[in-house]
């Protein structure tokens, strides 16, 4: 296994790893070079110790199953901190503590926490290696599970250190599972120091430090300082029958449909004509202004950490196909009969001889309890995805025509609408709200404001973040992507979804792109420009009538005025840091609604 001297001569890297080693006191330090031999040895070790279980190697080659501690199955937003020197720089929507005070508080938890264990030093690159927009991080961890997940989600090993060279521009990520003690679990970002400290968790977004901690919380701060954007967005390409591809990004809160939209399979009417959807990314977009003045996006990740429940052949064929090899399944049901996996919504054939996410024997035919955790996930290599875009590793990224915001709203938000312009679009993103999901610990189904789907992920004051969005719009001028809002989750009085969603979301996408190309009509309403019901193509959609679409597109001014009160409450928290532009956008919208 690699040792520091043959992997890097970067003194900052070596000194930092030395300091972490002194603090955590592992018995052994292993540098991850990323070679297949090294990774295979780690897989074998994790299987031997029972940390992970090898699945059926004929049906699911290279696949592993893992369950986390019962109290450790989702992100913990109440234990997530942004530690900037000044509290106002973290802003009213983040937990904050003074960086020195936080370090003093956490050091005793890290002190000696790896005694008797091995520490893995994992260098990784976010973004294609060699891209001018990629960035390097190093994660120290006591978890093989973390290393193996990072191998799928990022580009790990020697190539990341090679990209870094002697530079000091790397994110120092110190993770320790320690005792998985819920009471002492902390996910802490130090944006001003390029550092992340995560302790007492072994779950996804808390511990795969390249993902939410770096690629969103730290990177959003870097983007603000450096003039680019790090967003909680999928990236997809829509190809027309002539072979022209237009790219779209979409920001929806956790478990609100990014992976599904990114991997959409067009309905037959479009497929027959030759339309295709290409997946570039399913969770995070880093966006820069290109030489031609347009906005370009790269996917900083190399894999998908996707929601398992509800994923099936029909709802998301491409995601399911992505999980057929070299995938790690976390907190789903293990089928002991053939060593495969199962989750609610996969098929109607749950195993009788299963192990549930709590590690208990589970019989899907008789059990009244769920077998998979609602936030159970698969970690799958992006390269496995049948719809992966030929451009997904383009070092320059792909040019973006439209940005889509969206969330889960049972009422209020219509199926789709367009903002009047960029500034109004920033306003539309800033007033996003959505019902909470199982992706974070806490109550599910409660409406909360989640601006740009970044509430849990913005690494600085969200007032400054909104100003940054406005500034980017100024720079982009008339080359700025058009901004839209969608809602796949309107329900009827019995609580059933009205819109079929999934592949049929293509029908809304088609209107969106037609608007970008000045090829579609729209009707101005107080909240933005909506399609007429007849502008949504219903060909081949037998269950949806034009009246249903009318209902999906209805705007209830009274409901929106009520909603404006919630926006005002959010805005009020920002005081002077609220961009004046947003306050006047809200006032103007209220005026239009009251007319
Ligand atoms: P994160 O990985 O947490 O950021 O989530 P995500 O935004 O990628 O969400 P994902 O695509 O995994 O979808 C989450 C849940 O929403 C799944 O249970 C899906 O089945 C469901 N879902 C996705 N798209 C639709 C849709 O168009 N309509 C309905 N009704 N449900 C959907
Ligand atoms: C999310 O919660 O938005 C996710 C999963 O994508 S996690 O990596 O846990 O943040
Ligand atoms: Mn996400």
């Amino acid at each position: 296994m690699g040792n520091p001297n043959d992997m890097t001569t970067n003194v900052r890297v070596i000194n930092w790893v030395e300091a972490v080693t002194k603090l955590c006191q592992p018995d052994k330090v292993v540098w991850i070079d990323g070679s297949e031999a090294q990774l295979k040895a780690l897989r074998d070790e994790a299987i031997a110790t029972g940390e992970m279980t090898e699945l059926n190697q004929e049906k699911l080659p290279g696949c592993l199953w893992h369950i986390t501690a019962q109290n450790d199955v989702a992100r913990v937003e109440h234990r997530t901190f942004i530690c900037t020197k000044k509290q106002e720089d973290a802003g009213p929507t983040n937990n904050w503590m003074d960086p020195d005070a936080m370090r003093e508080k956490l050091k005793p938890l890290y002190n000696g926490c790896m005694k008797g264990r091995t520490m893995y030093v994992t260098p990784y690159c976010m973004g294609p290696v060699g891209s001018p927009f990629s960035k390097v991080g190093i994660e120290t961890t006591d978890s093989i599970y973390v290393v193996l997940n990072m191998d799928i989600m990022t580009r790990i090993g020697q190539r990341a250190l090679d990209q870094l060279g002697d530079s000091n521009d790397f994110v120092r990520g110190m993770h320790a599972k320690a005792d998985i003690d819920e009471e002492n679990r902390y996910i802490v970002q130090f944006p001003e120091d390029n550092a992340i400290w995560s302790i007492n968790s072994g779950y996804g977004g808390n511990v795969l430090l390249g993902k939410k901690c770096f690629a969103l919380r730290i990177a959003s701060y870097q983007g603000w300082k450096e003039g680019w954007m790090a967003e909680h967005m999928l990236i997809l390409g829509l190809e027309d029958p002539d072979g022209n591809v237009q790219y779209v990004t979409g920001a929806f809160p956790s478990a609100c449909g990014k992976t599904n939209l990114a991997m959409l399979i067009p309905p037959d009417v479009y497929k027959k004509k030759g339309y295709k959807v290409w997946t570039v990314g399913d969770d995070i977009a880093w966006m820069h202004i290109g030489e031609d003045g347009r906005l370009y996006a790269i996917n900083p990740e190399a894999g998908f950490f996707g929601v398992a429940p509800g994923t099936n052949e029909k709802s998301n064929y491409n995601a399911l196909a992505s999980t057929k090899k070299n995938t790690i399944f976390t907190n789903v049901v293990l089928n002991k009969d053939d060593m495969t996996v199962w989750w609610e919504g996969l098929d109607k054939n749950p195993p009788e001889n299963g192990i549930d996410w709590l590690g208990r024997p589970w019989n899907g035919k008789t059990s009244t309890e769920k077998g998979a955790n609602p936030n159970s996930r698969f970690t799958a290599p992006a390269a496995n995805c049948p719809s992966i875009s030929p451009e997904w590793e383009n070092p320059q990224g792909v040019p973006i025509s439209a940005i889509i915001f969206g969330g889960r709203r049972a009422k209020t938000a219509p199926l789709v609408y367009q903002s009047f312009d960029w500034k109004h679009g920033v306003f539309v993103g800033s007033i996003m709200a959505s019902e909470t999901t199982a992706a974070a610990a806490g109550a599910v189904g409660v409406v909360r404001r989640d601006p740009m789907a970044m509430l849990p992920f913005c690494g600085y004051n969200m007032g400054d973040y909104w100003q940054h969005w406005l500034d980017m719009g100024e720079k982009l001028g008339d080359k700025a992507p058009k901004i839209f809002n969608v809602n796949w989750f309107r329900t009827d009085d019995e609580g059933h979804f009205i819109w079929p969603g999934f592949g049929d979301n293509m029908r809304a996408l088609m209107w969106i792109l037609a608007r970008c190309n000045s090829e579609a009509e729209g009707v101005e309403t107080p909240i933005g420009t909506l399609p007429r019901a007849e502008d949504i193509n219903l060909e081949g959609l037998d269950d949806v009538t034009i009246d249903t679409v009318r209902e999906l597109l209805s705007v209830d001014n009274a409901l929106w005025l009520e909603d404006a009160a919630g926006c005002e409450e959010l805005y009020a928290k920002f005081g002077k840091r609220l961009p004046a532009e947003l306050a006047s956008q809200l006032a103007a919208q209220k005026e239009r609604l009251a007319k």
Side-chain angles (χ1 to χ4, degrees), residues 16 124 137-141 171-175 194-197 209:
W16 173 71
Y124 61 93
I138 302 180
E139 175 164 0
T140 55
T141 178
V171 173
R172 294 136 170 87
M174 181 164 68
H175 168 248
N194 254 1
I196 304 159
W197 288 20
L209 300 187

Side-chain angles (χ1 to χ4, degrees), residues 108-386:
L109 300 179
Y110 281 98
N111 194 3
C113 73
M114 293 189 192
K115 275 186 190 150
R117 299 186 192 182
T118 300
M119 182 173 92
Y120 303 94
V121 180
T122 311
Y124 61 93
C125 181
M126 298 309 290
V129 175
S131 162
F133 309 121
S134 293
K135 283 186 177 278
V136 171
I138 302 180
E139 175 164 0
T140 55
T141 178
D142 52 355
S143 162
I144 295 179
Y145 171 80
V146 166
V147 176
L148 296 179
N149 273 276
M150 287 295 284
D151 172 47
I152 299 171
M153 295 305 298
T154 74
R155 286 101 173 157
I156 64 168
Q158 185 66 53
R159 56 192 163 162
L161 287 177
D162 291 346
Q163 156 127 354
L164 181 65
D166 282 334
S167 165
N168 191 28
D169 185 12
F170 67 98
V171 173
R172 294 136 170 87
M174 181 164 68
H175 168 248
K177 247 180 352 187
D179 312 313
I180 321 279
D181 172 5
E182 211 176 352
E183 301 298 318
N184 280 308
R185 184 169 299 153
Y186 288 94
I187 317 299
V188 182
Q189 284 67 209
F190 302 93
E192 292 158 350
D193 306 309
N194 254 1
I196 304 159
W197 288 20
S198 162
I199 190 157
N200 278 311
S201 174
Y203 175 77
N206 299 330
V207 302
L208 307 179
L209 300 187
K211 197 173 178 56
K212 296 305 175 21
C213 302
F214 177 175
L216 288 179
R217 298 196 189 101
I218 300 283
S220 62
Y221 175 87
Q222 294 175 331
W224 175 44
K225 295 286 168 182
E226 297 165 11
W228 53 282
M229 306 164 93
E231 300 295 335
H232 191 200
M233 288 179 176
L234 70 99
I235 312 166
L236 68 78
L238 201 154
E239 181 175 334
D240 73 14
D242 297 328
N244 304 312
V245 188
Q246 281 183 288
Y247 295 91
V248 168
T249 62
F252 313 154
S254 302
C256 289
K258 289 182 298 303
T259 301
N260 275 270
L261 190 66
M263 298 180 190
L264 178 152
I265 292 184
D268 281 341
V269 278
Y270 289 113
K271 223 191 292 182
K272 274 194 218 126
K273 288 184 189 144
Y275 285 94
K276 287 185 192 131
V277 169
W278 297 106
T279 309
V280 179
D282 83 325
D283 198 50
I284 299 176
W286 283 1
M287 303 194 288
H288 296 78
I289 300 178
E291 271 166 26
D292 61 0
R294 292 186 66 188
L295 193 63
Y296 283 74
I298 65 162
N299 173 8
E301 302 189 281
F304 311 123
F305 187 60
V307 177
T311 304
N312 60 53
E313 197 96 352
K314 256 193 98 191
S315 68
N316 197 342
Y317 171 87
N318 288 317
L320 196 61
S322 305
T323 67
K324 295 301 177 191
K325 58 178 184 195
N326 304 328
T327 292
I328 297 172
F329 297 91
T330 303
N331 296 336
V332 304
V333 179
L334 172 67
N335 183 344
K336 294 240 290 186
D337 287 332
D338 65 352
M339 295 306 275
T340 57
V341 288
W342 191 86
W343 50 77
E344 278 69 24
L346 174 63
D347 57 37
K348 296 211 164 71
N349 197 18
E352 290 176 50
N353 183 22
I355 301 285
D356 71 3
W357 68 276
L358 292 163
R360 306 173 306 189
W362 185 81
N363 182 338
K365 298 281 187 307
T366 56
S367 178
T368 51
E369 284 176 59
K370 288 196 165 146
N373 183 277
N375 192 40
S376 52
R377 301 243 168 193
F378 52 81
T379 318
N384 283 359
C385 184

Side-chain angles (χ1 to χ4, degrees), residues 379-401:
T379 318
N384 283 359
C385 184
S387 60
I388 198 72
S389 163
E391 296 295 312
W392 86 279
E393 293 192 286
N394 185 329
Q396 300 298 327
V398 294
I400 302 305
S401 299

